[in-house]
Amino acid sequence: MSVVQVRTHNGQVIPPATEVVLDDFGRENASTIQVGGNLLRRLDPSPVAADLLRLGGAVYCTDKILLRCTTSDQWTREIELEVPVSDPDLWSGTSADLRRALDFLSGDHWQLKFVGDDRGQGEANQLPVDHDRDAVCLFSGGLDSLAGAVDAIAGGKKLLLVGHYESGIPHQTQKVLASSLRRQFGDSMAELRQLYLRPHPPHSDQARPLSEKHEITTRARSLLFLAAGLAVASSLGEDCPLLVPENGFIGVNVPLIGSRVGSLSTRTTHPHFMAMLGRVLDSLGITNPVENPYRLKTKGEALESCAEGSFLRSVADMSVSCSHPESVRWRKKDQGDCGYCYPCLIRRAAMHRIGEDQAGDYAWDALTDTDVIDPEWEKTSASIRALAANLRRGTQPSDILRNGPIPAGEIQDFLGVYERGRAELKRWIEDGGGAGLRTLIT
């Protein structure tokens, strides 16, 4: 059992060796969380929404610092998390639902303990007079969030965009895209708020110095991202909606082949996780609506239906959809979309649907580069070969249940999204793939 305490003050007592202290209000070098950015500048979230943000940050950092490779099955971790909150009784009442949601999201076994926040209750929530926003929109810097922001602004909504980053590429990408939105639609239509949060680099002043190694699966990031959006939305009013633009094909994220069940089958906006999160929010009294406009659309359909398609096409190449945009530097390539990870393949198929797929926008061309489909290049070829294996077989209704349950009455809807998403990918390969790749899918 890994015991993780989240403290809101400088801990003077060295914890037992089994504990990792996440002190997010300590001295700079003593803290094990690095946090910054302008996320809540002149905003005042409700106490419960602020608690949720702290929990999201703790879960995210815990997910990164506890290595799966040290567990008996090389995957499932037993985690006990102690978090200070404004109302321990309220949080304890929803801990069972929250634990089940976290178990599903990360694939681990979580135990949650809520204690009183020694900082005391916060001030009453005050809405700043200069924030007349109609909605909050998660803004990762990817293509879906860009299209979602464009659609909302084109529909007359003034947006407050919320981004999370822990490295340079997402930070700059979000800023560049937000600037493009303001130039196109006016300064008043889009304001960007960014959260910088990650585990702090190891330092001798830390109560329990962290390891240099980090877990790379990071399946729990979506809770942090959603919590950040809800903290901002609650500052703007209890009815202010949070937009979570994410296509339904990647939402259900059906494993391409059996061996990819696990880290490659993340559940960021999986309908089962979102339903469980909704129940938690209801229990906590957080009433801000959480809306995904692309829940039942493929990525290509989301792009094709965009209200300002010509503008979206003009800035799409500035967005980054890659799962590891900085790793390509080790192969002496420009950082950005790698071109061979699964999110990049889905992105290219969607861009092909609207006639805008450009191989030069990626470090590798998965359609024609031989080392991308060569099994000897395991890291670069894994996703395209798994996709080819998937496309060789037909679909069955049970496919969309392989990454988790689907809410009652929606199996056919999500099966349709899955089948149409596969069709987009197959059409992209058939229209532009080299002979070797086309052979793999037949």
Side-chain angles (χ1 to χ4, degrees):
M1 174 74 72
S2 299
V3 180
V4 182
Q5 294 178 327
V6 183
R7 296 186 177 179
T8 57
H9 57 83
N10 287 330
Q12 300 300 316
V13 179
I14 299 297
T18 56
E19 292 183 343
V20 177
V21 176
L22 300 180
D23 183 353
D24 58 340
F25 288 89
R27 301 182 308 276
E28 173 62 20
N29 291 330
S31 178
T32 49
I33 288 181
Q34 272 191 325
V35 61
N38 66 342
L39 180 70
L40 296 178
R41 178 174 54 84
R42 295 183 7 242
L43 295 178
D44 184 17
S46 69
V48 177
D51 293 339
L52 182 63
L53 178 56
R54 182 186 297 127
L55 173 66
V59 166
Y60 176 68
C61 289
T62 299
D63 190 21
K64 295 202 71 171
I65 64 179
L66 298 180
L67 301 179
R68 295 186 185 275
C69 64
T70 62
T71 65
S72 58
D73 64 356
Q74 303 286 295
W75 179 258
T76 309
R77 300 163 298 186
E78 302 281 341
I79 304 170
E80 182 179 322
L81 187 63
E82 180 181 304
V83 185
V85 294
S86 58
D87 186 343
D89 291 338
L90 174 65
W91 279 92
S92 296
T94 193
S95 62
D97 285 340
L98 183 55
R99 175 183 55 78
R100 284 190 287 268
L102 283 174
D103 287 355
F104 178 77
L105 181 63
S106 75
D108 300 299
H109 298 151
W110 293 80
Q111 295 296 328
L112 302 172
K113 180 180 179 181
F114 298 105
V115 297
D117 183 355
D118 59 13
R119 293 180 302 165
Q121 295 288 341
E123 298 296 326
N125 193 31
Q126 299 293 325
L127 174 63
V129 295
D130 60 341
H131 281 90
D132 56 338
R133 299 288 151 181
D134 300 306
V136 175
C137 182
L138 296 189
F139 199 67
S140 65
L143 197 48
D144 283 15
S145 66
L146 174 62
V150 170
D151 274 337
I153 295 173
K157 288 184 170 63
K158 291 184 178 180
L159 295 184
L160 205 158
L161 309 171
V162 170
H164 166 251
Y165 69 96
E166 57 175 288
S167 61
I169 289 182
H171 179 223
Q172 286 303 118
T173 300
Q174 292 163 16
K175 291 177 67 174
V176 167
L177 292 176
S179 295
S180 298
L181 290 172
R182 287 192 294 271
R183 284 195 301 271
Q184 176 71 14
F185 299 105
D187 288 341
S188 66
M189 299 304 291
E191 178 185 348
L192 175 64
R193 294 297 183 94
Q194 292 178 291
L195 171 65
Y196 171 68
L197 189 146
R198 68 175 186 175
H200 198 291
H203 195 280
S204 59
D205 285 351
Q206 290 167 345
R208 181 63 55 193
L210 298 182
S211 169
E212 293 282 355
K213 295 182 178 180
H214 281 168
E215 176 59 41
I216 62 173
T217 54
T218 60
R219 289 167 58 105
R221 179 175 181 261
S222 62
L223 179 63
L224 170 62
F225 207 3
L226 288 161
L230 286 166
V232 173
S234 78
S235 301
L236 304 179
E238 61 183 14
D239 296 326
C240 180
L242 172 64
L243 307 181
V244 186
E246 180 87 296
N247 71 85
F249 181 75
I250 201 65
V252 291
N253 202 15
V254 175
L256 293 174
I257 54 177
S259 63
R260 292 170 71 91
V261 177
S263 64
L264 295 172
S265 295
T266 57
R267 294 159 170 168
T268 303
T269 57
H270 192 282
H272 184 55
F273 169 68
M274 297 302 290
M276 288 192 291
L277 180 64
R279 288 193 290 272
V280 170
L281 298 180
D282 288 343
S283 297
L284 293 173
I286 297 176
T287 59
N288 299 91
V290 179
E291 304 170 359
N292 180 359
Y294 303 145
R295 186 170 181 266
L296 293 177
K297 290 185 177 182
T298 69
K299 197 180 193 79
E301 289 168 348
L303 303 185
E304 192 173 56
S305 65
C306 183
E308 295 285 341
S310 58
F311 169 71
L312 180 66
R313 289 173 172 83
S314 71
V315 297
D317 64 330
M318 302 178 189
S319 64
V320 176
S321 303
C322 187
S323 60
H324 45 239
E326 297 181 346
S327 65
V328 297
R329 70 182 185 274
W330 301 112
R331 301 278 291 273
K332 301 186 185 305
K333 298 274 190 176
D334 292 336
Q335 298 182 64
D337 289 310
C338 71
Y340 62 79
C341 71
Y342 192 37
C344 279
L345 303 182
I346 296 173
R347 174 192 173 102
R348 288 201 59 182
M351 293 294 284
H352 177 67
R353 176 171 180 144
I354 63 171
E356 296 291 337
D357 180 39
Q358 301 292 332
D361 293 338
Y362 303 84
W364 278 269
D365 180 7
L367 289 176
T368 60
D369 286 355
T370 55
D371 57 346
V372 176
I373 64 171
D374 188 338
E376 293 187 7
W377 293 88
E378 183 178 354
K379 288 186 177 181
T380 54
S381 69
S383 290
I384 192 68
R385 295 183 72 83
L387 173 60
N390 178 275
L391 294 178
R392 283 197 300 268
R393 58 183 292 274
T395 60
Q396 297 182 16
S398 60
D399 285 347
I400 61 165
L401 302 176
R402 290 167 59 201
N403 198 28
I406 300 296
E410 294 190 306
I411 288 180
Q412 288 301 318
D413 290 336
F414 280 103
L415 179 62
V417 174
Y418 174 56
E419 291 175 335
R420 298 194 305 274
R422 290 177 80 249
E424 281 182 10
L425 287 157
K426 188 172 185 180
R427 189 177 308 115
W428 167 63
I429 292 175
E430 289 175 338
D431 289 350
L437 179 56
R438 291 198 307 273
T439 299
L440 283 180
I441 68 171
T442 58

